[in-house]
Structures are given as C-alpha cells and as structure tokens.
Short mmCIF file of all heavy atoms in Angstrom, two decimals:
data_model
loop_
_atom_site.label_atom_id
_atom_site.label_comp_id
_atom_site.label_asym_id
_atom_site.label_seq_id
_atom_site.Cartn_x
_atom_site.Cartn_y
_atom_site.Cartn_z
N LYS A 98 -46.67 -7.28 34.22
CA LYS A 98 -47.94 -8.01 33.95
C LYS A 98 -48.44 -8.70 35.18
O LYS A 98 -47.63 -8.99 36.03
CB LYS A 98 -47.67 -8.95 32.78
CG LYS A 98 -47.47 -8.37 31.54
CD LYS A 98 -47.28 -9.37 30.36
CE LYS A 98 -47.10 -8.64 28.96
NZ LYS A 98 -47.05 -9.64 27.92
N ILE A 99 -49.77 -8.95 35.18
CA ILE A 99 -50.42 -9.59 36.23
C ILE A 99 -51.01 -10.96 35.84
O ILE A 99 -51.77 -11.00 34.89
CB ILE A 99 -51.59 -8.57 36.87
CG1 ILE A 99 -50.85 -7.28 37.32
CG2 ILE A 99 -52.20 -9.37 38.14
CD1 ILE A 99 -51.93 -6.30 37.70
N ASP A 100 -50.55 -11.88 36.57
CA ASP A 100 -51.13 -13.28 36.19
C ASP A 100 -52.31 -13.66 37.12
O ASP A 100 -52.13 -14.10 38.11
CB ASP A 100 -49.94 -14.28 36.41
CG ASP A 100 -50.36 -15.72 35.98
OD1 ASP A 100 -51.40 -15.70 35.19
OD2 ASP A 100 -49.75 -16.71 36.36
N TYR A 101 -53.44 -13.39 36.63
CA TYR A 101 -54.75 -13.70 37.41
C TYR A 101 -55.07 -15.17 37.33
O TYR A 101 -55.00 -15.70 36.19
CB TYR A 101 -55.83 -12.78 36.89
CG TYR A 101 -55.71 -11.32 37.19
CD1 TYR A 101 -55.41 -10.44 36.22
CD2 TYR A 101 -55.70 -10.79 38.48
CE1 TYR A 101 -55.36 -9.02 36.46
CE2 TYR A 101 -55.55 -9.45 38.69
CZ TYR A 101 -55.42 -8.62 37.72
OH TYR A 101 -55.24 -7.23 37.94
N PRO A 102 -55.30 -15.78 38.52
CA PRO A 102 -55.81 -17.12 38.47
C PRO A 102 -57.01 -17.39 37.75
O PRO A 102 -57.93 -16.59 37.77
CB PRO A 102 -55.81 -17.53 39.94
CG PRO A 102 -56.01 -16.17 40.71
CD PRO A 102 -55.40 -15.10 39.78
N LYS A 103 -57.24 -18.63 37.24
CA LYS A 103 -58.55 -18.92 36.57
C LYS A 103 -59.55 -19.06 37.76
O LYS A 103 -59.31 -19.51 38.79
CB LYS A 103 -58.35 -20.21 35.96
CG LYS A 103 -57.49 -20.14 34.64
CD LYS A 103 -57.42 -21.37 33.89
CE LYS A 103 -56.59 -21.31 32.56
NZ LYS A 103 -56.55 -22.60 31.86
N PRO A 104 -60.81 -18.78 37.44
CA PRO A 104 -61.86 -18.90 38.42
C PRO A 104 -62.16 -20.31 38.71
O PRO A 104 -62.05 -21.18 37.95
CB PRO A 104 -63.07 -18.16 37.74
CG PRO A 104 -62.81 -18.26 36.30
CD PRO A 104 -61.30 -18.07 36.15
N ASP A 105 -62.61 -20.46 40.05
CA ASP A 105 -62.86 -21.88 40.40
C ASP A 105 -64.42 -22.15 40.32
O ASP A 105 -64.83 -23.25 40.47
CB ASP A 105 -62.45 -22.19 41.83
CG ASP A 105 -63.00 -21.22 42.88
OD1 ASP A 105 -64.07 -20.63 42.68
OD2 ASP A 105 -62.47 -21.09 43.95
N GLY A 106 -65.24 -21.16 40.01
CA GLY A 106 -66.69 -21.53 39.85
C GLY A 106 -67.34 -21.64 41.11
O GLY A 106 -68.51 -21.83 41.09
N VAL A 107 -66.72 -21.41 42.26
CA VAL A 107 -67.24 -21.61 43.61
C VAL A 107 -67.16 -20.33 44.33
O VAL A 107 -68.18 -19.76 44.82
CB VAL A 107 -66.66 -22.86 44.40
CG1 VAL A 107 -67.23 -22.85 45.77
CG2 VAL A 107 -66.67 -24.06 43.63
N ILE A 108 -65.99 -19.77 44.53
CA ILE A 108 -65.85 -18.48 45.07
C ILE A 108 -65.54 -17.57 44.08
O ILE A 108 -66.00 -16.30 44.22
CB ILE A 108 -64.64 -18.57 46.17
CG1 ILE A 108 -64.92 -19.59 47.19
CG2 ILE A 108 -64.35 -17.23 46.81
CD1 ILE A 108 -66.08 -19.34 48.19
N THR A 109 -64.74 -17.88 43.07
CA THR A 109 -64.30 -16.92 41.98
C THR A 109 -65.06 -17.27 40.73
O THR A 109 -65.26 -18.42 40.39
CB THR A 109 -62.79 -16.76 41.96
OG1 THR A 109 -62.35 -18.07 41.55
CG2 THR A 109 -62.24 -16.35 43.14
N PHE A 110 -65.35 -16.24 39.87
CA PHE A 110 -66.12 -16.55 38.67
C PHE A 110 -65.51 -15.70 37.44
O PHE A 110 -64.71 -14.78 37.59
CB PHE A 110 -67.65 -16.10 38.91
CG PHE A 110 -68.19 -16.76 40.12
CD1 PHE A 110 -68.21 -16.09 41.31
CD2 PHE A 110 -68.72 -18.10 40.06
CE1 PHE A 110 -68.72 -16.75 42.48
CE2 PHE A 110 -69.27 -18.65 41.17
CZ PHE A 110 -69.35 -17.99 42.40
N ASP A 111 -65.95 -16.06 36.25
CA ASP A 111 -65.57 -15.39 35.08
C ASP A 111 -66.48 -14.25 34.82
O ASP A 111 -67.63 -14.17 35.43
CB ASP A 111 -65.48 -16.26 33.92
CG ASP A 111 -66.91 -16.95 33.51
OD1 ASP A 111 -67.70 -16.20 32.77
OD2 ASP A 111 -67.13 -18.02 33.98
N ARG A 112 -66.16 -13.38 33.88
CA ARG A 112 -67.05 -12.12 33.63
C ARG A 112 -68.38 -12.43 33.12
O ARG A 112 -69.35 -11.98 33.53
CB ARG A 112 -66.31 -11.22 32.58
CG ARG A 112 -65.23 -10.19 33.18
CD ARG A 112 -64.70 -9.47 32.01
NE ARG A 112 -63.87 -8.31 32.59
CZ ARG A 112 -62.59 -8.46 32.93
NH1 ARG A 112 -62.07 -9.70 32.83
NH2 ARG A 112 -61.85 -7.46 33.30
N LEU A 113 -68.41 -13.23 32.11
CA LEU A 113 -69.77 -13.51 31.44
C LEU A 113 -70.67 -14.24 32.29
O LEU A 113 -71.92 -13.92 32.31
CB LEU A 113 -69.46 -14.29 30.12
CG LEU A 113 -68.67 -13.54 29.08
CD1 LEU A 113 -68.66 -14.32 27.79
CD2 LEU A 113 -69.32 -12.13 28.74
N THR A 114 -70.21 -15.24 33.16
CA THR A 114 -71.15 -15.80 34.03
C THR A 114 -71.61 -14.81 35.03
O THR A 114 -72.73 -14.79 35.53
CB THR A 114 -70.28 -16.92 34.83
OG1 THR A 114 -69.98 -17.86 33.83
CG2 THR A 114 -71.26 -17.67 35.85
N SER A 115 -70.71 -13.80 35.44
CA SER A 115 -71.09 -12.82 36.50
C SER A 115 -72.19 -11.97 35.82
O SER A 115 -73.15 -11.59 36.55
CB SER A 115 -69.88 -12.03 36.75
OG SER A 115 -68.90 -12.91 37.54
N VAL A 116 -72.01 -11.54 34.55
CA VAL A 116 -72.91 -10.62 33.99
C VAL A 116 -74.26 -11.20 33.94
O VAL A 116 -75.44 -10.57 34.22
CB VAL A 116 -72.52 -10.28 32.52
CG1 VAL A 116 -73.65 -9.56 31.77
CG2 VAL A 116 -71.23 -9.42 32.62
N SER A 117 -74.42 -12.55 33.89
CA SER A 117 -75.70 -13.24 33.90
C SER A 117 -76.33 -13.10 35.27
O SER A 117 -77.71 -13.07 35.28
CB SER A 117 -75.63 -14.62 33.56
OG SER A 117 -74.98 -15.45 34.61
N PHE A 118 -75.63 -12.81 36.29
CA PHE A 118 -76.22 -12.57 37.67
C PHE A 118 -76.55 -11.04 37.83
O PHE A 118 -77.01 -10.77 38.93
CB PHE A 118 -75.23 -13.11 38.65
CG PHE A 118 -75.28 -14.52 38.87
CD1 PHE A 118 -74.59 -15.37 38.02
CD2 PHE A 118 -75.98 -15.11 40.05
CE1 PHE A 118 -74.65 -16.77 38.30
CE2 PHE A 118 -76.01 -16.53 40.30
CZ PHE A 118 -75.31 -17.27 39.26
N SER A 119 -76.36 -10.25 36.85
CA SER A 119 -76.78 -8.78 36.91
C SER A 119 -78.16 -8.83 36.17
O SER A 119 -78.79 -7.57 36.24
CB SER A 119 -75.76 -7.88 36.24
OG SER A 119 -75.79 -8.15 34.76
N PHE A 120 -78.57 -9.90 35.44
CA PHE A 120 -79.92 -9.92 34.84
C PHE A 120 -79.98 -8.81 33.87
O PHE A 120 -81.03 -8.16 33.64
CB PHE A 120 -81.07 -9.85 35.83
CG PHE A 120 -80.79 -10.90 36.92
CD1 PHE A 120 -80.42 -10.60 38.13
CD2 PHE A 120 -81.05 -12.26 36.65
CE1 PHE A 120 -80.17 -11.53 39.18
CE2 PHE A 120 -80.92 -13.18 37.64
CZ PHE A 120 -80.36 -12.81 38.87
N THR A 121 -78.82 -8.36 33.19
CA THR A 121 -78.70 -7.44 32.10
C THR A 121 -79.50 -7.91 30.98
O THR A 121 -79.29 -9.08 30.32
CB THR A 121 -77.35 -7.09 31.86
OG1 THR A 121 -76.67 -6.49 32.98
CG2 THR A 121 -77.25 -6.15 30.73
N ASN A 122 -80.17 -6.96 30.20
CA ASN A 122 -80.87 -7.28 29.00
C ASN A 122 -81.00 -5.97 28.14
O ASN A 122 -81.24 -4.95 28.74
CB ASN A 122 -82.26 -7.76 29.18
CG ASN A 122 -82.92 -8.11 27.95
OD1 ASN A 122 -82.55 -9.01 27.14
ND2 ASN A 122 -84.09 -7.34 27.63
N HIS A 123 -80.72 -6.10 26.88
CA HIS A 123 -80.90 -5.07 26.01
C HIS A 123 -81.64 -5.63 24.74
O HIS A 123 -81.32 -6.76 24.42
CB HIS A 123 -79.56 -4.37 25.48
CG HIS A 123 -78.80 -3.70 26.62
ND1 HIS A 123 -77.89 -4.23 27.32
CD2 HIS A 123 -78.76 -2.34 26.97
CE1 HIS A 123 -77.34 -3.32 28.10
NE2 HIS A 123 -77.91 -2.25 28.00
N GLU A 124 -82.56 -4.88 24.22
CA GLU A 124 -83.24 -5.32 23.09
C GLU A 124 -82.20 -5.59 21.92
O GLU A 124 -81.28 -4.87 21.71
CB GLU A 124 -84.28 -4.37 22.64
CG GLU A 124 -85.51 -4.20 23.46
CD GLU A 124 -86.37 -5.43 23.32
OE1 GLU A 124 -86.45 -6.08 22.25
OE2 GLU A 124 -87.02 -5.83 24.42
#
C-alpha cells in the first residue's frame, strides 16, 4: 500500500480542486 501525503494547497492539491482548474463543464 502507498501512503500518499495530504495536499498542502500550495504546491500540492486535491483532485476536485484540480478539476476546477481544467474548467470542465458538462450539461
């Protein structure tokens, strides 16, 4: 198993915050 560190919000980020930076939109 791999213990990934929690994001710091400065250099590293979570998935959903990152998706918002892709400007993804579906009807």
Side-chain angles (χ1 to χ4, degrees):
K98 289 187 177 180
I99 303 172
D100 183 20
Y101 289 111
K103 292 183 178 179
D105 60 21
V107 179
I108 299 295
T109 60
F110 307 95
D111 64 83
R112 273 181 173 81
L113 295 185
T114 301
S115 296
V116 170
S117 71
F118 279 79
S119 70
F120 310 100
T121 293
N122 181 64
H123 294 91
E124 285 292 326

